[in-house]
Amino acid sequence: MASPVRRGAARRDELADALIELFLAEGFAGFTLDDVAARLRCSKRTLYGLAGSKEQLVTAAVVRFFRAATVHVEAAVATRSVPADRLAAYLRAVSAELAPASAAFFEDVASFAPAAAIYQRNTRAAARRVREIITEGVESGAFRDVHVAFAAEVVASTMEAIQQRRVAAATGLDDAEAYEQLATLLVSGLRS
């Protein structure tokens, strides 16, 4: 039988996951703590056990979402050994992780500075990871001999434009679709 502490931790994890699902589906700006508590079928006191305010709750949910996404993305890359497959797996896994997020979620993230900063940090880390994969591919001969720093800067700029909603505004692509397109473009352009 699970101890009360483990049951409490499991319940907090369950609520945190449900909170992420809710925010991904509907955004978070329009919710009050009362709304969130009603939707998650818990008390406000229970929510305060997760975070001290709505802003902290949102921040914690966004951090948890990106942490889990990073784990899933790296797991997808770990199953591949060929650089082109690793690059495609990385960007397509990012796309898959972002796919459940609604436009409302991304708009709310963009307009809430702490959440925008979290997304930006994760975007920069992803751009560094893509640069590593491109470097591996060029050094192994699997990719054309491109200027890695330039290619990485193009990727980083594109990822930043996705994160800052400029790609969505210019193309109508959501973030997941934009990462899918980026994967196709990069892999095709870099292959030897």
Side-chain angles (χ1 to χ4, degrees):
M1 179 176 223
S3 73
V5 171
R6 282 192 195 188
R7 281 194 309 270
R11 176 67 176 143
R12 281 190 298 280
D13 284 343
E14 180 183 297
L15 280 172
D17 290 341
L19 182 67
I20 290 168
E21 284 183 38
L22 175 64
F23 288 169
L24 288 175
E26 300 179 37
F28 50 80
F31 285 112
T32 64
L33 278 178
D34 286 325
D35 297 332
V36 173
R39 294 291 293 276
L40 297 182
R41 297 178 186 182
C42 69
S43 67
K44 279 177 50 176
R45 183 173 180 210
T46 300
L47 292 178
Y48 283 123
L50 296 175
S53 67
K54 178 188 170 191
E55 291 77 14
Q56 291 172 347
L57 195 64
V58 167
T59 301
V62 172
V63 166
R64 185 178 176 96
F65 168 71
F66 281 109
R67 272 195 193 131
T70 299
V71 169
H72 298 147
V73 168
E74 286 301 331
V77 173
T79 65
R80 307 295 198 286
S81 59
V82 176
D85 294 344
R86 290 170 56 79
L87 182 59
Y90 187 90
L91 292 169
R92 289 193 171 113
V94 169
S95 175
E97 290 300 312
L98 296 177
S102 65
F105 173 77
F106 286 120
E107 293 301 327
D108 289 351
V109 166
S111 62
F112 180 54
I118 293 161
Y119 192 4
Q120 184 175 44
R121 257 192 322 274
N122 280 275
T123 300
R124 286 183 184 146
R128 282 190 303 274
R129 188 68 175 103
V130 167
R131 181 184 180 137
E132 291 171 5
I133 296 169
I134 292 172
T135 300
E136 291 170 12
V138 170
E139 288 175 355
S140 72
F143 290 157
R144 293 183 309 113
D145 187 19
V146 297
H147 191 281
V148 173
F150 177 76
E153 183 57 31
V154 168
V155 171
S157 295
T158 302
M159 292 170 93
E160 183 177 294
I162 293 168
Q163 180 258 318
Q164 293 177 353
R165 311 297 297 142
R166 295 193 318 264
V167 169
T171 66
L173 294 172
D174 67 28
D175 292 27
E177 293 166 328
Y179 272 98
E180 182 65 34
Q181 291 296 314
L182 181 59
T184 300
L185 185 67
L186 274 178
V187 172
S188 296
L190 288 172
R191 283 190 196 271
S192 290

